[in-house]
Structure formats: structure tokens, C-alpha cells
Coordinates of all heavy atoms in Angstrom, one line a residue:
M1 N -3.6 3.0 16.4 CA -2.9 2.6 15.2 C -3.7 2.7 13.9 O -3.3 3.2 12.9 CB -2.3 1.1 15.4 CG -1.3 1.0 16.4 SD 0.2 1.9 16.1 CE 1.0 1.0 14.7
K2 N -4.9 2.0 14.0 CA -5.7 1.9 12.9 C -6.1 3.4 12.4 O -5.9 3.6 11.2 CB -7.0 1.2 13.3 CG -8.0 1.0 12.3 CD -9.3 0.5 12.8 CE -10.5 0.7 11.8 NZ -11.7 1.2 12.4
E3 N -6.5 4.2 13.3 CA -6.9 5.5 12.9 C -5.8 6.3 12.2 O -5.9 7.0 11.3 CB -7.5 6.4 14.1 CG -8.8 5.8 14.6 CD -8.7 4.5 15.4 OE1 -7.5 4.1 15.7 OE2 -9.7 3.8 15.7
E4 N -4.6 6.0 12.8 CA -3.4 6.7 12.2 C -3.2 6.5 10.8 O -3.0 7.3 10.0 CB -2.1 6.4 13.1 CG -1.0 7.4 13.0 CD 0.1 7.0 13.9 OE1 -0.2 6.7 15.0 OE2 1.2 6.9 13.4
W5 N -3.1 5.2 10.4 CA -2.8 4.8 9.1 C -3.9 5.2 8.1 O -3.8 5.6 7.0 CB -2.3 3.4 8.9 CG -3.2 2.3 9.0 CD1 -3.3 1.5 10.0 CD2 -4.2 1.8 8.0 NE1 -4.4 0.5 9.8 CE2 -4.8 0.7 8.5 CE3 -4.5 2.3 6.7 CZ2 -5.8 0.0 7.8 CZ3 -5.5 1.5 5.9 CH2 -6.1 0.5 6.6
E6 N -5.2 5.0 8.7 CA -6.3 5.3 7.9 C -6.3 6.8 7.4 O -6.6 7.2 6.2 CB -7.7 5.0 8.5 CG -7.9 3.5 8.4 CD -9.3 3.1 8.9 OE1 -10.0 3.9 9.5 OE2 -9.6 2.0 8.5
E7 N -6.0 7.7 8.5 CA -6.1 9.1 8.1 C -5.0 9.5 7.2 O -5.1 10.2 6.2 CB -5.9 9.9 9.4 CG -7.2 10.3 10.0 CD -7.1 11.0 11.3 OE1 -6.3 11.8 11.4 OE2 -7.8 10.6 12.2
K8 N -3.8 9.0 7.4 CA -2.6 9.4 6.7 C -2.6 8.7 5.3 O -2.1 9.3 4.3 CB -1.3 9.0 7.5 CG -1.0 10.0 8.5 CD 0.5 9.7 8.9 CE 0.7 10.4 10.3 NZ 1.7 9.7 11.1
I9 N -3.0 7.4 5.3 CA -2.7 6.7 3.9 C -4.0 6.5 3.2 O -4.0 6.8 2.0 CB -2.2 5.3 4.4 CG1 -0.7 5.5 4.9 CG2 -2.1 4.4 3.2 CD1 -0.1 4.2 5.4
L10 N -5.0 6.1 3.8 CA -6.2 5.8 3.1 C -6.7 6.9 2.3 O -7.2 6.8 1.1 CB -7.3 5.4 4.0 CG -8.2 4.2 3.6 CD1 -7.5 3.0 3.2 CD2 -9.2 3.8 4.7
C11 N -6.7 8.2 2.8 CA -7.2 9.3 2.1 C -6.3 10.4 1.7 O -6.5 11.5 1.5 CB -8.3 10.0 3.0 SG -9.8 8.9 3.0
A12 N -5.0 9.8 1.5 CA -3.9 10.8 0.9 C -4.4 11.3 -0.4 O -5.1 10.6 -1.2 CB -2.6 10.0 0.8
T13 N -4.1 12.5 -0.7 CA -4.5 13.2 -1.9 C -3.4 13.3 -3.0 O -3.7 13.6 -4.1 CB -5.1 14.6 -1.6 OG1 -4.0 15.3 -1.0 CG2 -6.3 14.6 -0.8
Q14 N -2.2 13.0 -2.5 CA -1.1 13.0 -3.5 C -0.2 11.8 -3.5 O 0.0 11.1 -2.5 CB -0.1 14.1 -3.0 CG -0.5 15.5 -3.6 CD 0.7 16.4 -3.4 OE1 1.6 16.3 -2.5 NE2 0.8 17.4 -4.2
C15 N 0.2 11.4 -4.7 CA 1.1 10.3 -4.8 C 2.3 10.6 -4.1 O 3.0 11.6 -4.2 CB 1.4 10.0 -6.3 SG 2.6 8.7 -6.6
S16 N 2.9 9.6 -3.4 CA 4.1 9.8 -2.6 C 5.4 9.9 -3.4 O 6.4 10.3 -3.0 CB 4.3 8.8 -1.5 OG 4.5 7.5 -2.0
Q17 N 5.2 9.4 -4.7 CA 6.4 9.3 -5.5 C 6.5 10.4 -6.6 O 7.5 11.0 -6.8 CB 6.5 8.0 -6.2 CG 6.9 6.9 -5.1 CD 7.0 5.5 -5.7 OE1 7.2 5.4 -7.0 NE2 6.9 4.5 -4.9
C18 N 5.3 10.6 -7.3 CA 5.4 11.6 -8.3 C 4.6 12.9 -8.0 O 4.6 13.9 -8.8 CB 4.9 11.0 -9.7 SG 3.1 10.6 -9.6
H19 N 3.9 12.8 -6.9 CA 3.1 14.0 -6.4 C 1.9 14.3 -7.3 O 1.4 15.5 -7.2 CB 4.0 15.2 -6.1 CG 5.0 14.8 -5.2 ND1 4.8 14.5 -3.8 CD2 6.4 14.6 -5.3 CE1 6.0 14.2 -3.3 NE2 7.0 14.3 -4.2
E20 N 1.5 13.4 -8.1 CA 0.2 13.7 -8.9 C -0.9 13.6 -7.9 O -0.9 12.9 -6.9 CB 0.2 12.5 -9.9 CG 1.0 12.8 -11.2 CD 0.5 14.0 -12.0 OE1 -0.7 14.2 -12.1 OE2 1.4 14.7 -12.5
R21 N -2.0 14.2 -8.3 CA -3.2 14.1 -7.5 C -3.8 12.7 -7.7 O -3.8 12.2 -8.8 CB -4.2 15.2 -8.0 CG -5.1 15.6 -6.9 CD -6.2 16.6 -7.3 NE -7.3 16.4 -6.6 CZ -7.5 16.5 -5.3 NH1 -6.5 17.0 -4.6 NH2 -8.6 16.3 -4.8
L22 N -4.3 12.1 -6.6 CA -4.8 10.8 -6.7 C -6.3 10.6 -6.9 O -7.0 11.4 -6.3 CB -4.4 10.0 -5.4 CG -2.9 9.8 -5.1 CD1 -2.7 9.4 -3.6 CD2 -2.4 8.7 -6.0
D23 N -6.6 9.7 -7.7 CA -8.0 9.3 -7.8 C -8.1 7.9 -7.3 O -8.5 7.6 -6.2 CB -8.4 9.5 -9.3 CG -9.8 8.9 -9.5 OD1 -10.6 9.0 -8.5 OD2 -10.1 8.6 -10.7
Q24 N -7.6 7.0 -8.2 CA -7.4 5.6 -7.6 C -6.0 5.6 -7.0 O -5.1 6.2 -7.6 CB -7.4 4.6 -8.8 CG -8.8 4.0 -9.0 CD -8.8 2.7 -9.8 OE1 -7.9 2.5 -10.7 NE2 -9.6 1.8 -9.4
R25 N -5.9 4.9 -5.9 CA -4.6 4.8 -5.3 C -4.3 3.3 -4.8 O -5.3 2.5 -4.6 CB -4.5 5.8 -4.1 CG -5.2 5.4 -2.9 CD -6.6 6.0 -2.7 NE -7.0 7.2 -3.3 CZ -7.2 8.4 -2.8 NH1 -6.9 8.6 -1.6 NH2 -7.6 9.3 -3.5
I26 N -3.1 3.1 -4.6 CA -2.7 1.8 -4.2 C -1.4 2.0 -3.3 O -0.8 3.0 -3.4 CB -2.5 0.9 -5.4 CG1 -2.4 -0.6 -5.1 CG2 -1.3 1.3 -6.3 CD1 -2.6 -1.6 -6.1
L27 N -1.1 0.9 -2.4 CA 0.0 1.1 -1.6 C 1.3 0.4 -2.2 O 1.2 -0.6 -2.8 CB -0.2 0.5 -0.2 CG -1.4 1.1 0.5 CD1 -1.6 0.3 1.9 CD2 -1.3 2.6 0.8
S28 N 2.4 1.0 -2.0 CA 3.7 0.5 -2.4 C 4.1 -0.7 -1.5 O 3.8 -0.6 -0.3 CB 4.8 1.5 -2.3 OG 6.1 0.9 -2.5
V29 N 4.5 -1.8 -2.1 CA 5.0 -2.8 -1.3 C 6.4 -2.6 -0.6 O 6.8 -3.2 0.3 CB 5.0 -4.3 -1.9 CG1 3.7 -4.6 -2.4 CG2 6.0 -4.3 -3.1
Y30 N 7.0 -1.6 -1.2 CA 8.3 -1.3 -0.7 C 8.4 -0.4 0.5 O 9.1 -0.6 1.4 CB 9.2 -0.6 -1.8 CG 9.5 -1.5 -3.0 CD1 8.7 -1.6 -4.1 CD2 10.6 -2.3 -3.0 CE1 8.9 -2.5 -5.1 CE2 10.9 -3.1 -4.0 CZ 10.0 -3.3 -5.0 OH 10.3 -4.1 -6.1
D31 N 7.5 0.6 0.6 CA 7.6 1.5 1.7 C 6.1 1.8 2.3 O 6.1 2.6 3.2 CB 8.2 2.8 1.4 CG 7.6 3.6 0.2 OD1 6.4 3.1 -0.2 OD2 8.0 4.6 -0.3
H32 N 5.2 1.1 1.8 CA 3.7 1.3 2.4 C 3.2 2.7 2.1 O 2.3 3.0 2.8 CB 3.7 1.0 3.9 CG 4.2 -0.5 4.3 ND1 3.5 -1.6 3.8 CD2 5.3 -0.9 4.8 CE1 4.2 -2.7 4.2 NE2 5.3 -2.2 4.8
Q33 N 3.8 3.4 1.3 CA 3.2 4.8 1.0 C 2.2 4.7 -0.1 O 2.2 3.7 -0.9 CB 4.4 5.7 0.6 CG 5.3 6.0 1.7 CD 4.7 6.5 3.0 OE1 4.1 7.6 2.9 NE2 4.8 5.8 4.1
V34 N 1.3 5.7 -0.2 CA 0.3 5.7 -1.2 C 1.0 6.1 -2.6 O 1.7 7.1 -2.7 CB -0.7 6.7 -0.9 CG1 -1.8 6.7 -2.0 CG2 -1.3 6.3 0.4
V35 N 0.7 5.4 -3.6 CA 1.2 5.8 -4.9 C 0.1 5.7 -5.9 O -1.0 5.1 -5.7 CB 2.4 4.8 -5.5 CG1 3.6 5.0 -4.5 CG2 2.0 3.4 -5.5
C36 N 0.2 6.3 -7.1 CA -0.8 6.3 -8.1 C -0.5 5.1 -9.0 O 0.4 4.3 -8.8 CB -0.7 7.6 -9.0 SG 0.9 7.6 -10.0
M37 N -1.5 4.8 -9.8 CA -1.4 3.6 -10.6 C -0.3 3.5 -11.6 O 0.3 2.5 -11.9 CB -2.8 3.3 -11.5 CG -4.0 3.3 -10.6 SD -3.8 2.0 -9.2 CE -3.7 0.5 -10.1
E38 N 0.2 4.7 -12.0 CA 1.4 4.8 -12.9 C 2.6 4.4 -12.1 O 3.4 3.6 -12.6 CB 1.6 6.1 -13.5 CG 0.5 6.5 -14.6 CD 0.4 5.5 -15.7 OE1 1.6 5.3 -16.3 OE2 -0.7 5.0 -16.1
C39 N 2.7 4.9 -11.0 CA 3.9 4.6 -10.2 C 3.9 3.1 -9.8 O 4.9 2.5 -9.6 CB 4.0 5.4 -9.0 SG 4.5 7.1 -9.3
K40 N 2.7 2.6 -9.5 CA 2.6 1.1 -9.2 C 3.0 0.2 -10.3 O 3.7 -0.7 -10.1 CB 1.1 0.7 -8.8 CG 0.9 -0.6 -8.3 CD 1.6 -0.8 -7.0 CE 1.3 -2.3 -6.5 NZ 2.0 -2.4 -5.1
K41 N 2.7 0.7 -11.5 CA 3.1 -0.1 -12.7 C 4.6 -0.1 -12.8 O 5.2 -1.1 -13.1 CB 2.6 0.6 -14.0 CG 1.2 0.0 -14.4 CD 0.8 0.7 -15.7 CE -0.7 0.9 -15.7 NZ -1.1 1.9 -16.6
R42 N 5.3 1.0 -12.5 CA 6.8 1.1 -12.5 C 7.3 0.1 -11.4 O 8.3 -0.5 -11.6 CB 7.2 2.5 -12.3 CG 7.2 3.2 -13.5 CD 8.0 4.6 -13.4 NE 7.4 5.5 -12.6 CZ 6.5 6.4 -13.1 NH1 6.2 6.4 -14.3 NH2 5.9 7.3 -12.2
E43 N 6.6 0.1 -10.3 CA 7.1 -0.7 -9.2 C 7.0 -2.2 -9.5 O 7.8 -2.9 -9.2 CB 6.1 -0.4 -8.0 CG 6.5 -1.2 -6.8 CD 5.7 -0.8 -5.5 OE1 5.9 0.3 -5.0 OE2 4.8 -1.6 -5.0
E44 N 5.9 -2.5 -10.2 CA 5.6 -4.0 -10.5 C 6.6 -4.6 -11.5 O 6.8 -5.8 -11.5 CB 4.2 -4.1 -11.1 CG 3.1 -4.0 -10.0 CD 1.7 -4.0 -10.7 OE1 1.6 -3.8 -11.9 OE2 0.8 -4.1 -9.9
V45 N 7.4 -3.8 -12.2 CA 8.3 -4.3 -13.1 C 9.8 -4.3 -12.5 O 10.7 -4.8 -13.2 CB 8.3 -3.5 -14.5 CG1 7.1 -3.7 -15.2 CG2 8.7 -2.1 -14.3
R46 N 9.9 -3.9 -11.3 CA 11.2 -4.1 -10.7 C 11.5 -5.5 -10.5 O 10.7 -6.4 -10.2 CB 11.2 -3.3 -9.4 CG 11.2 -1.8 -9.5 CD 10.9 -1.1 -8.2 NE 11.9 -1.3 -7.2 CZ 12.1 -0.5 -6.2 NH1 11.4 0.7 -6.1 NH2 13.0 -0.7 -5.2
P47 N 12.8 -5.9 -10.7 CA 13.2 -7.3 -10.6 C 12.8 -8.0 -9.2 O 12.6 -9.2 -9.2 CB 14.7 -7.3 -11.0 CG 15.0 -6.0 -10.9 CD 13.9 -5.0 -11.0
D48 N 12.8 -7.3 -8.2 CA 12.7 -7.9 -7.0 C 11.2 -7.8 -6.4 O 10.9 -8.0 -5.3 CB 13.6 -7.3 -5.9 CG 13.4 -5.7 -5.7 OD1 12.8 -5.2 -6.6 OD2 14.0 -5.2 -4.7
Y49 N 10.4 -7.3 -7.3 CA 8.9 -7.0 -6.9 C 8.2 -8.2 -6.3 O 7.6 -8.1 -5.3 CB 8.1 -6.4 -8.0 CG 6.7 -6.2 -7.6 CD1 6.4 -5.0 -7.0 CD2 5.7 -7.0 -8.0 CE1 5.1 -4.7 -6.5 CE2 4.4 -6.8 -7.5 CZ 4.1 -5.6 -6.8 OH 2.8 -5.4 -6.5
D50 N 8.3 -9.3 -7.0 CA 7.7 -10.6 -6.6 C 8.1 -10.9 -5.1 O 7.4 -11.3 -4.2 CB 7.9 -11.8 -7.5 CG 7.0 -11.6 -8.7 OD1 6.0 -10.8 -8.7 OD2 7.2 -12.4 -9.6
E51 N 9.4 -11.0 -5.0 CA 9.9 -11.3 -3.7 C 9.5 -10.4 -2.6 O 9.2 -10.8 -1.5 CB 11.5 -11.4 -3.9 CG 12.2 -12.2 -2.8 CD 13.6 -12.1 -2.9 OE1 14.1 -12.0 -4.1 OE2 14.4 -12.3 -2.0
V52 N 9.7 -9.1 -2.9 CA 9.4 -8.1 -1.9 C 7.9 -8.1 -1.5 O 7.5 -8.0 -0.3 CB 9.8 -6.7 -2.4 CG1 9.2 -5.6 -1.5 CG2 11.3 -6.5 -2.6
S53 N 7.1 -8.3 -2.5 CA 5.6 -8.3 -2.2 C 5.3 -9.5 -1.4 O 4.4 -9.4 -0.5 CB 4.8 -8.2 -3.5 OG 5.1 -9.3 -4.3
K54 N 5.8 -10.6 -1.7 CA 5.5 -11.9 -0.8 C 5.9 -11.6 0.5 O 5.1 -12.0 1.5 CB 6.2 -13.1 -1.4 CG 5.4 -13.8 -2.6 CD 6.1 -15.0 -3.2 CE 5.7 -15.3 -4.5 NZ 6.8 -15.7 -5.4
D55 N 7.1 -11.1 0.8 CA 7.6 -10.9 2.2 C 6.7 -9.9 2.9 O 6.4 -10.0 4.0 CB 9.0 -10.4 2.1 CG 10.0 -11.5 1.8 OD1 9.6 -12.7 1.8 OD2 11.2 -11.2 1.4
M56 N 6.4 -8.8 2.1 CA 5.5 -7.8 2.7 C 4.1 -8.3 3.1 O 3.8 -8.0 4.2 CB 5.3 -6.7 1.6 CG 4.6 -5.4 2.0 SD 2.9 -5.6 2.5 CE 2.2 -6.2 0.9
I57 N 3.5 -9.1 2.3 CA 2.2 -9.5 2.7 C 2.3 -10.5 3.9 O 1.4 -10.5 4.8 CB 1.4 -10.1 1.5 CG1 -0.1 -10.4 1.8 CG2 1.9 -11.5 1.0 CD1 -0.9 -9.1 1.8
R58 N 3.2 -11.3 3.9 CA 3.4 -12.2 5.0 C 3.6 -11.5 6.3 O 2.9 -11.7 7.3 CB 4.6 -13.2 4.7 CG 4.7 -14.4 5.7 CD 5.9 -15.2 5.3 NE 6.0 -15.6 4.0 CZ 7.1 -15.3 3.2 NH1 8.2 -14.8 3.6 NH2 7.2 -15.8 2.0
Q59 N 4.5 -10.5 6.3 CA 4.8 -9.7 7.4 C 3.6 -8.9 7.8 O 3.3 -8.7 9.0 CB 6.0 -8.8 7.2 CG 6.6 -8.2 8.4 CD 6.9 -9.2 9.5 OE1 7.6 -10.2 9.3 NE2 6.5 -9.0 10.7
C60 N 3.0 -8.3 6.8 CA 1.8 -7.4 7.1 C 0.7 -8.2 7.8 O 0.1 -7.7 8.7 CB 1.3 -6.9 5.8 SG 0.0 -5.6 6.0
L61 N 0.4 -9.4 7.4 CA -0.7 -10.1 8.0 C -0.3 -10.5 9.4 O -1.2 -10.4 10.3 CB -1.1 -11.4 7.1 CG -1.7 -11.1 5.8 CD1 -1.8 -12.4 5.0 CD2 -3.1 -10.5 6.1
V62 N 0.9 -10.8 9.6 CA 1.4 -11.2 10.9 C 1.2 -10.0 11.8 O 0.6 -10.0 12.9 CB 2.9 -11.6 11.0 CG1 3.3 -11.7 12.4 CG2 2.9 -13.1 10.3
D63 N 1.6 -8.8 11.4 CA 1.6 -7.6 12.2 C 0.2 -7.1 12.4 O -0.2 -6.8 13.5 CB 2.3 -6.5 11.5 CG 3.8 -6.6 11.4 OD1 4.3 -7.5 12.2 OD2 4.5 -5.9 10.7
T64 N -0.6 -7.1 11.4 CA -2.0 -6.6 11.6 C -2.9 -7.5 12.3 O -3.7 -7.1 13.2 CB -2.6 -6.2 10.2 OG1 -2.6 -7.4 9.4 CG2 -1.9 -5.1 9.5
E65 N -2.7 -8.8 12.1 CA -3.6 -9.7 12.9 C -3.4 -9.7 14.3 O -4.2 -9.7 15.1 CB -3.3 -11.2 12.4 CG -4.3 -11.7 11.4 CD -4.0 -13.1 10.9 OE1 -2.8 -13.4 10.6 OE2 -4.8 -13.9 10.8
S66 N -2.1 -9.6 14.7 CA -1.8 -9.6 16.2 C -2.2 -8.2 16.7 O -2.5 -8.2 17.9 CB -0.3 -9.8 16.4 OG 0.5 -8.8 15.7
R67 N -2.3 -7.2 16.0 CA -2.5 -5.8 16.5 C -4.1 -5.5 16.5 O -4.7 -5.2 17.4 CB -1.7 -4.7 15.9 CG -0.3 -4.7 16.4 CD 0.3 -3.3 16.3 NE 0.2 -2.8 15.0 CZ 1.3 -2.7 14.1 NH1 2.4 -3.2 14.5 NH2 1.1 -2.3 12.9
Y68 N -4.6 -5.5 15.3 CA -6.0 -5.1 15.1 C -6.7 -5.8 14.0 O -7.7 -5.3 13.6 CB -6.0 -3.6 15.0 CG -5.1 -3.0 14.0 CD1 -5.3 -3.0 12.6 CD2 -3.9 -2.3 14.5 CE1 -4.4 -2.4 11.8 CE2 -3.0 -1.8 13.7 CZ -3.2 -1.8 12.3 OH -2.3 -1.3 11.5
G69 N -6.3 -7.0 13.6 CA -7.0 -7.8 12.7 C -7.3 -7.3 11.3 O -8.2 -7.7 10.6
D70 N -6.5 -6.3 10.9 CA -6.7 -5.8 9.5 C -8.1 -5.4 9.1 O -8.5 -5.8 8.0 CB -6.1 -6.7 8.5 CG -5.7 -6.0 7.1 OD1 -5.6 -4.8 7.2 OD2 -5.6 -6.7 6.2
P71 N -8.8 -4.6 9.9 CA -10.2 -4.4 9.6 C -10.4 -3.5 8.3 O -11.5 -3.7 7.7 CB -10.6 -3.5 10.8 CG -9.4 -2.9 11.3 CD -8.3 -3.8 11.1
G72 N -9.5 -2.7 8.0 CA -9.7 -1.9 6.7 C -9.0 -2.5 5.6 O -9.1 -1.9 4.4
G73 N -8.5 -3.7 5.7 CA -7.8 -4.3 4.5 C -6.5 -3.7 4.2 O -6.1 -3.6 3.0
F74 N -5.8 -3.2 5.1 CA -4.5 -2.5 4.8 C -3.6 -3.3 4.0 O -3.0 -2.8 2.9 CB -3.8 -2.1 6.2 CG -2.5 -1.5 6.1 CD1 -2.3 -0.2 5.5 CD2 -1.4 -2.2 6.5 CE1 -1.1 0.3 5.4 CE2 -0.1 -1.7 6.4 CZ 0.0 -0.4 5.8
C75 N -3.4 -4.6 4.3 CA -2.4 -5.4 3.6 C -2.9 -5.5 2.2 O -2.0 -5.5 1.2 CB -2.4 -6.8 4.2 SG -1.8 -6.8 5.9
Y76 N -4.1 -5.7 1.9 CA -4.7 -5.9 0.6 C -4.7 -4.7 -0.3 O -4.6 -4.8 -1.5 CB -6.1 -6.6 0.6 CG -6.0 -8.0 1.2 CD1 -6.2 -8.2 2.6 CD2 -5.4 -9.0 0.5 CE1 -6.1 -9.4 3.1 CE2 -5.2 -10.3 1.1 CZ -5.5 -10.4 2.4 OH -5.3 -11.7 3.0
H77 N -4.6 -3.5 0.4 CA -4.5 -2.3 -0.4 C -3.2 -2.2 -1.2 O -2.9 -1.3 -2.0 CB -4.7 -1.0 0.5 CG -6.1 -0.9 0.8 ND1 -7.3 -1.2 0.0 CD2 -6.7 -0.5 1.9 CE1 -8.3 -0.9 0.6 NE2 -8.0 -0.5 1.8
H78 N -2.2 -3.1 -0.9 CA -1.0 -3.1 -1.7 C -1.2 -3.7 -3.0 O -0.3 -3.6 -3.9 CB 0.1 -3.9 -0.9 CG 0.5 -3.2 0.4 ND1 -0.2 -3.2 1.6 CD2 1.6 -2.5 0.7 CE1 0.4 -2.5 2.5 NE2 1.5 -2.1 1.9
F79 N -2.3 -4.4 -3.1 CA -2.5 -5.2 -4.4 C -3.8 -4.8 -5.1 O -3.9 -5.0 -6.3 CB -2.5 -6.7 -4.2 CG -1.2 -7.2 -3.5 CD1 -1.2 -7.4 -2.1 CD2 -0.1 -7.3 -4.3 CE1 0.0 -7.8 -1.6 CE2 1.1 -7.7 -3.6 CZ 1.2 -8.0 -2.3
Y80 N -4.7 -4.3 -4.4 CA -6.0 -3.9 -5.0 C -6.1 -2.4 -4.9 O -6.1 -1.8 -3.7 CB -7.1 -4.6 -4.3 CG -7.0 -6.1 -4.5 CD1 -6.5 -6.8 -3.4 CD2 -7.3 -6.7 -5.7 CE1 -6.4 -8.2 -3.6 CE2 -7.1 -8.1 -5.8 CZ -6.7 -8.9 -4.8 OH -6.5 -10.2 -4.9
P81 N -6.4 -1.7 -6.0 CA -6.6 -0.2 -5.9 C -7.7 0.1 -5.2 O -8.7 -0.7 -5.1 CB -6.7 0.2 -7.4 CG -6.3 -1.0 -8.2 CD -6.4 -2.2 -7.4
Y82 N -7.9 1.3 -4.6 CA -9.0 1.6 -3.8 C -9.2 3.2 -3.9 O -8.3 3.8 -4.4 CB -8.8 1.3 -2.4 CG -7.7 1.9 -1.6 CD1 -7.9 3.0 -0.8 CD2 -6.4 1.4 -1.8 CE1 -6.8 3.7 -0.2 CE2 -5.3 2.0 -1.1 CZ -5.5 3.1 -0.3 OH -4.5 3.7 0.3
T83 N -10.4 3.6 -3.6 CA -10.6 5.1 -3.5 C -10.9 5.4 -2.2 O -11.2 4.6 -1.3 CB -11.8 5.4 -4.5 OG1 -12.9 4.5 -4.1 CG2 -11.4 5.3 -5.9
C84 N -10.7 6.6 -1.8 CA -10.9 7.1 -0.5 C -12.3 7.0 0.1 O -13.3 7.2 -0.7 CB -10.5 8.6 -0.4 SG -10.5 9.2 1.2
Ligands
ZN101 ZN1 2.7 8.5 -8.9

């Protein structure tokens, strides 16, 4: 599980929404895909963003803790930009 998301998500080279090349990247709270900072800004102004992000982090921590303890900080990459 861990290796799978790290390979696909952590080092993705393209934004999943606008297909721009990624330098800094962050994860969408809506679909867990990698997006660029511009797309993240658009996501953050959606009216349901607060609610969706709270639900996402709660569920993410439950899922990752029970499976592999979130070693790479997967849940937190939805809120903190990271580089590959
Ligand atoms: Zn983008």
C-alpha cells in the first residue's frame, strides 16, 4: 500500500487537474490526487472545502493508522505542500 501511493502520488510530475508540470505539489482533499498550488487555491475557496477537509483528515488518519501508521505523512500532504 505504502509503496503504491508513494510512487504514484508523491513523485507525480503533472498536476492531475490542469496538467501543469509540478514543482511544489499538494494533495486534493476531494480526490487525493496531486495538484499544483494554483489548483489548490481554487479548491480552498470551494464552499464545502472546510467540511470536506475535516472529514478527509479524520478518515485518512483512521485508515492510515490502522494500516501502516502514515509513515510518509500522506494525510498531512493534503495541507502542506511538499516536493518529491
Ligand atoms: Zn494544477
Side-chain angles (χ1 to χ4, degrees):
M1 291 303 290
K2 179 190 167 221
E3 290 75 14
E4 201 179 312
W5 74 257
E6 282 191 344
E7 266 174 48
K8 279 191 197 150
I9 291 178
L10 215 54
C11 288
T13 55
Q14 269 193 337
C15 173
S16 67
Q17 286 179 27
C18 70
H19 305 290
E20 280 293 319
R21 208 180 146 68
L22 289 166
D23 176 23
Q24 268 204 322
R25 75 262 341 249
I26 194 161
L27 301 176
S28 169
V29 299
Y30 291 92
D31 59 8
H32 303 290
Q33 295 301 300
V34 182
V35 295
C36 68
M37 298 311 291
E38 288 304 310
C39 289
K40 186 65 179 183
K41 274 182 211 157
R42 279 195 286 276
E43 180 177 291
E44 282 171 351
V45 297
R46 284 167 66 158
D48 60 347
Y49 179 78
D50 279 351
E51 199 185 331
V52 171
S53 59
K54 273 179 205 145
D55 287 347
M56 187 289 302
I57 192 75
R58 194 182 305 127
Q59 192 57 49
C60 186
L61 287 172
V62 169
D63 289 350
T64 54
E65 260 177 317
S66 61
R67 283 209 303 259
Y68 43 83
D70 199 20
F74 176 69
C75 300
Y76 294 100
H77 286 326
H78 293 75
F79 303 102
Y80 300 103
Y82 62 99
T83 50
C84 183

